[in-house]
Amino acid sequence: MTVLHDDALAVLTGWTAPGAEEELLRREFVEHLKTYDDAMSRACAPGHLTATTAVLSHDGEYVLLTLHPKAGMWLPMGGHCEEDDSTLAEAALREATEESGIPGLRLLPGPLALDKHEVWCHPPRSWHLDVEYGAVAPAGVEPVMSDESLDLRWFPVDSIPELSDEATRRLAARARTLLRAGGDGRTVVAPFQVFIRFSRRSR
């Protein structure tokens, strides 16, 4: 995962944080990457970088969420990076495609957010340092639920169910804003917003 590690370090090092709190989290992610050669792997017990994607309908009005079996919440597609991933964007798109069952997803320029949450990959606890993206589904497609989900549904971006979290709502809204602004999904740019959250998410 050396190439992926280098990509993550370049993405996060090149990002200019909009505020002091966001800058602290960016530095934490960068320091984690510099400290742990396996920071992109689930095997890194103290914590590891993960990739999440809010999958939007073609018009940006709906977001596809999975009912996560461990967290018991409606969440975006996402999870651990794999050996074959060469960039964070590639990992995000792969996870989104696998968990949505939708071919031809178009990744929006990103990342859109960073999110830190406590998980149970390595008891008693570990951390997911999540890099978050947005993607757009082709018109007229139907998602196919994977064995990693209890349910899979489209929700209006403005009406995400209570059994979710603020980070999910914010990511979906950010992705829709970018889509409406004309994001073409052809280039990957540095993140512009960071969210710190402690939750029951565990992938």
Side-chain angles (χ1 to χ4, degrees):
M1 287 188 167
T2 301
V3 174
L4 179 59
H5 186 283
D6 290 346
D7 174 76
L9 187 58
V11 168
L12 294 171
T13 300
W15 174 52
T16 301
E21 184 174 300
E22 292 87 350
E23 175 62 12
L24 287 174
L25 187 56
R26 183 195 70 83
R27 291 181 182 182
E28 180 181 340
F29 278 39
V30 168
E31 186 61 30
H32 191 82
L33 285 162
K34 291 180 176 179
T35 302
Y36 300 99
D37 291 338
D38 61 348
M40 304 304 300
S41 170
R42 184 174 185 167
C44 187
H48 36 276
L49 273 73
T50 52
T52 287
T53 304
V55 174
L56 300 182
S57 58
H58 74 284
D59 57 3
E61 291 301 312
Y62 294 86
V63 60
L64 185 65
L65 300 180
T66 175
L67 184 57
H68 196 278
K70 293 181 181 179
M73 300 170 65
W74 290 101
L75 300 172
M77 316 296 114
H80 295 99
C81 297
E82 296 184 357
E83 290 287 345
D84 293 339
D85 297 326
S86 59
T87 67
L88 281 168
E90 184 179 310
L93 184 58
R94 175 187 53 75
E95 282 288 330
T97 301
E98 290 176 354
E99 293 190 18
S100 70
I102 298 176
L105 291 175
R106 176 167 57 92
L107 198 68
L108 293 169
L112 305 184
L114 299 182
D115 175 42
K116 178 181 178 181
H117 47 272
E118 190 174 7
V119 293
W120 296 87
C121 296
H122 299 276
R125 59 181 54 87
S126 184
W127 295 93
H128 276 183
L129 310 181
D130 202 33
V131 185
E132 302 187 334
Y133 291 80
V136 184
V141 299
E142 291 294 334
V144 178
M145 188 170 66
S146 74
D147 57 7
E148 297 181 34
S149 176
L150 295 177
D151 201 352
L152 193 64
R153 297 184 194 177
W154 293 104
F155 293 96
V157 172
D158 292 328
S159 299
I160 291 174
E162 183 176 347
L163 193 62
S164 185
D165 57 25
E166 189 59 26
T168 296
R169 295 181 181 91
R170 289 173 174 172
L171 178 59
R174 295 278 175 181
R176 181 177 64 179
T177 296
L178 181 58
L179 176 62
R180 288 178 173 177
D184 62 10
R186 295 176 184 172
T187 57
V188 177
V189 298
F192 60 83
Q193 182 73 27
V194 176
F195 305 115
I196 303 175
R197 177 175 50 81
F198 298 85
S199 81
R200 294 179 293 157
R201 281 200 199 186
S202 177
R203 301 188 192 280

